Short mmCIF file of all heavy atoms in Angstrom, two decimals:
data_model
loop_
_atom_site.label_atom_id
_atom_site.label_comp_id
_atom_site.label_asym_id
_atom_site.label_seq_id
_atom_site.Cartn_x
_atom_site.Cartn_y
_atom_site.Cartn_z
N GLU A 486 -2.38 -31.37 12.36
CA GLU A 486 -2.77 -31.90 13.71
C GLU A 486 -3.83 -31.13 14.30
O GLU A 486 -3.79 -30.91 15.66
CB GLU A 486 -1.50 -32.16 14.52
CG GLU A 486 -0.49 -33.06 14.05
CD GLU A 486 0.73 -33.25 14.79
OE1 GLU A 486 0.97 -32.40 15.91
OE2 GLU A 486 1.50 -34.12 14.52
N ARG A 487 -4.77 -30.52 13.62
CA ARG A 487 -5.79 -29.71 14.27
C ARG A 487 -6.65 -30.50 15.16
O ARG A 487 -7.13 -29.90 16.17
CB ARG A 487 -6.62 -29.13 13.11
CG ARG A 487 -7.61 -28.06 13.64
CD ARG A 487 -8.04 -27.07 12.65
NE ARG A 487 -8.95 -26.14 13.30
CZ ARG A 487 -8.78 -24.83 13.42
NH1 ARG A 487 -7.58 -24.30 12.83
NH2 ARG A 487 -9.59 -24.00 13.98
N ALA A 488 -6.84 -31.77 14.95
CA ALA A 488 -7.62 -32.60 15.80
C ALA A 488 -7.00 -32.82 17.13
O ALA A 488 -7.67 -32.99 18.17
CB ALA A 488 -7.98 -33.89 15.16
N LEU A 489 -5.63 -32.68 17.23
CA LEU A 489 -4.83 -32.82 18.43
C LEU A 489 -4.56 -31.63 19.14
O LEU A 489 -4.43 -31.62 20.45
CB LEU A 489 -3.58 -33.57 18.14
CG LEU A 489 -3.54 -34.91 17.45
CD1 LEU A 489 -2.21 -35.40 17.12
CD2 LEU A 489 -4.27 -35.91 18.44
N HIS A 490 -4.52 -30.41 18.47
CA HIS A 490 -4.10 -29.21 19.09
C HIS A 490 -5.18 -28.14 18.66
O HIS A 490 -5.41 -27.93 17.50
CB HIS A 490 -2.74 -28.80 18.66
CG HIS A 490 -1.68 -29.90 18.88
ND1 HIS A 490 -1.14 -30.07 20.09
CD2 HIS A 490 -1.09 -30.70 18.02
CE1 HIS A 490 -0.29 -31.08 19.99
NE2 HIS A 490 -0.19 -31.49 18.77
N GLU A 491 -5.50 -27.35 19.65
CA GLU A 491 -6.39 -26.21 19.33
C GLU A 491 -5.60 -25.16 18.55
O GLU A 491 -4.51 -24.88 19.00
CB GLU A 491 -6.97 -25.49 20.58
CG GLU A 491 -7.63 -24.18 20.36
CD GLU A 491 -8.81 -24.28 19.39
OE1 GLU A 491 -9.51 -25.36 19.33
OE2 GLU A 491 -9.09 -23.27 18.75
N GLN A 492 -6.07 -24.67 17.45
CA GLN A 492 -5.30 -23.75 16.62
C GLN A 492 -6.22 -22.55 16.22
O GLN A 492 -7.34 -22.84 15.80
CB GLN A 492 -4.74 -24.35 15.41
CG GLN A 492 -3.72 -25.46 15.70
CD GLN A 492 -3.24 -26.05 14.42
OE1 GLN A 492 -3.09 -25.48 13.42
NE2 GLN A 492 -2.85 -27.31 14.49
N GLN A 493 -5.74 -21.41 16.27
CA GLN A 493 -6.43 -20.23 15.85
C GLN A 493 -6.01 -19.93 14.39
O GLN A 493 -4.94 -20.26 13.95
CB GLN A 493 -6.16 -19.04 16.77
CG GLN A 493 -6.36 -19.29 18.23
CD GLN A 493 -7.93 -19.45 18.53
OE1 GLN A 493 -8.71 -18.78 17.87
NE2 GLN A 493 -8.28 -20.49 19.20
N GLY A 494 -6.82 -19.24 13.69
CA GLY A 494 -6.46 -18.72 12.28
C GLY A 494 -6.84 -19.71 11.29
O GLY A 494 -7.55 -20.70 11.44
N PHE A 495 -6.39 -19.43 10.02
CA PHE A 495 -6.81 -20.15 8.88
C PHE A 495 -5.60 -21.00 8.23
O PHE A 495 -5.69 -21.54 7.18
CB PHE A 495 -7.28 -19.20 7.78
CG PHE A 495 -8.59 -18.52 8.25
CD1 PHE A 495 -8.58 -17.23 8.65
CD2 PHE A 495 -9.72 -19.30 8.16
CE1 PHE A 495 -9.75 -16.62 9.02
CE2 PHE A 495 -11.00 -18.67 8.67
CZ PHE A 495 -10.87 -17.37 9.02
N GLY A 496 -4.39 -20.89 8.88
CA GLY A 496 -3.30 -21.56 8.34
C GLY A 496 -2.53 -20.82 7.23
O GLY A 496 -1.94 -21.34 6.41
N LEU A 497 -2.67 -19.47 7.24
CA LEU A 497 -2.09 -18.66 6.20
C LEU A 497 -0.82 -18.06 6.69
O LEU A 497 -0.09 -17.52 5.84
CB LEU A 497 -3.07 -17.52 5.84
CG LEU A 497 -4.23 -17.93 4.95
CD1 LEU A 497 -5.20 -16.80 4.76
CD2 LEU A 497 -3.65 -18.34 3.47
N GLY A 498 -0.56 -17.96 7.96
CA GLY A 498 0.64 -17.19 8.42
C GLY A 498 1.97 -17.53 7.81
O GLY A 498 2.63 -16.59 7.39
N LEU A 499 2.36 -18.80 7.93
CA LEU A 499 3.65 -19.17 7.39
C LEU A 499 3.72 -19.01 5.82
O LEU A 499 4.75 -18.49 5.31
CB LEU A 499 4.09 -20.49 7.86
CG LEU A 499 5.55 -20.90 7.52
CD1 LEU A 499 6.54 -19.97 8.13
CD2 LEU A 499 5.82 -22.35 8.07
N ALA A 500 2.56 -19.29 5.21
CA ALA A 500 2.49 -19.20 3.70
C ALA A 500 2.68 -17.66 3.35
O ALA A 500 3.31 -17.30 2.39
CB ALA A 500 1.21 -19.78 3.21
N ARG A 501 1.99 -16.76 4.16
CA ARG A 501 2.02 -15.38 3.83
C ARG A 501 3.44 -14.85 4.17
O ARG A 501 3.93 -14.03 3.33
CB ARG A 501 1.01 -14.63 4.84
CG ARG A 501 0.98 -13.18 4.52
CD ARG A 501 -0.22 -12.48 5.22
NE ARG A 501 -0.50 -12.99 6.55
CZ ARG A 501 -1.66 -13.29 6.98
NH1 ARG A 501 -2.80 -13.10 6.18
NH2 ARG A 501 -1.90 -13.78 8.25
N ALA A 502 4.01 -15.27 5.26
CA ALA A 502 5.46 -14.81 5.52
C ALA A 502 6.40 -15.29 4.43
O ALA A 502 7.28 -14.58 3.97
CB ALA A 502 5.84 -15.36 6.95
N THR A 503 6.23 -16.50 3.97
CA THR A 503 7.07 -17.10 2.89
C THR A 503 6.92 -16.22 1.65
O THR A 503 7.92 -15.89 0.96
CB THR A 503 6.80 -18.56 2.71
OG1 THR A 503 6.98 -19.26 3.90
CG2 THR A 503 7.70 -19.11 1.56
N ARG A 504 5.67 -15.98 1.26
CA ARG A 504 5.45 -15.23 0.04
C ARG A 504 6.01 -13.77 0.12
O ARG A 504 6.57 -13.30 -0.84
CB ARG A 504 3.90 -15.16 -0.33
CG ARG A 504 3.55 -14.38 -1.52
CD ARG A 504 4.30 -14.73 -2.80
NE ARG A 504 3.74 -15.98 -3.39
CZ ARG A 504 4.38 -16.69 -4.18
NH1 ARG A 504 5.54 -16.25 -4.78
NH2 ARG A 504 3.80 -17.79 -4.70
N LEU A 505 5.83 -13.10 1.21
CA LEU A 505 6.33 -11.75 1.45
C LEU A 505 7.90 -11.76 1.37
O LEU A 505 8.52 -10.94 0.80
CB LEU A 505 5.86 -11.18 2.88
CG LEU A 505 4.61 -10.43 2.84
CD1 LEU A 505 4.19 -10.18 4.32
CD2 LEU A 505 4.65 -9.21 2.05
N THR A 506 8.43 -12.82 1.98
CA THR A 506 9.93 -12.90 1.96
C THR A 506 10.34 -12.96 0.57
O THR A 506 11.32 -12.39 0.05
CB THR A 506 10.43 -14.09 2.84
OG1 THR A 506 9.94 -13.76 4.19
CG2 THR A 506 11.93 -14.23 2.81
N LYS A 507 9.79 -14.00 -0.25
CA LYS A 507 10.27 -14.30 -1.65
C LYS A 507 9.96 -12.97 -2.40
O LYS A 507 10.76 -12.63 -3.33
CB LYS A 507 9.38 -15.41 -2.22
CG LYS A 507 9.76 -16.79 -1.69
CD LYS A 507 9.06 -17.90 -2.34
CE LYS A 507 9.51 -19.16 -1.81
NZ LYS A 507 8.72 -20.33 -2.38
N PHE A 508 8.92 -12.27 -2.24
CA PHE A 508 8.48 -11.08 -2.94
C PHE A 508 9.61 -10.05 -2.73
O PHE A 508 9.92 -9.21 -3.68
CB PHE A 508 7.16 -10.51 -2.43
CG PHE A 508 6.55 -9.59 -3.41
CD1 PHE A 508 6.00 -10.02 -4.59
CD2 PHE A 508 6.57 -8.22 -3.02
CE1 PHE A 508 5.35 -9.10 -5.51
CE2 PHE A 508 5.91 -7.35 -3.99
CZ PHE A 508 5.29 -7.78 -5.13
N ASN A 509 10.29 -10.13 -1.59
CA ASN A 509 11.40 -9.18 -1.30
C ASN A 509 12.72 -9.77 -1.44
O ASN A 509 13.70 -9.45 -0.70
CB ASN A 509 11.21 -8.58 0.20
CG ASN A 509 10.04 -7.61 0.26
OD1 ASN A 509 10.25 -6.46 -0.22
ND2 ASN A 509 8.92 -8.04 0.76
N ARG A 510 12.90 -10.69 -2.42
CA ARG A 510 14.09 -11.33 -2.80
C ARG A 510 14.74 -12.07 -1.59
O ARG A 510 15.94 -12.03 -1.46
CB ARG A 510 15.09 -10.30 -3.36
CG ARG A 510 14.53 -9.76 -4.64
CD ARG A 510 15.61 -8.71 -5.26
NE ARG A 510 15.73 -7.63 -4.36
CZ ARG A 510 15.31 -6.41 -4.52
NH1 ARG A 510 14.76 -6.10 -5.68
NH2 ARG A 510 15.50 -5.51 -3.75
#
């Protein structure tokens, strides 16, 4: 919903957190 809401960043935050969490079992 980028057209509806101003958003900062590239959309990597949750993906990065998920990958770090999986990497740490």
Side-chain angles (χ1 to χ4, degrees):
E486 300 175 348
R487 186 156 183 121
L489 298 174
H490 306 283
E491 172 56 32
Q492 295 179 30
Q493 302 297 315
F495 296 103
L497 285 170
L499 190 53
R501 184 173 34 228
T503 300
R504 177 54 76 194
L505 272 170
T506 301
K507 286 181 181 178
F508 198 75
N509 286 284
R510 294 179 299 248

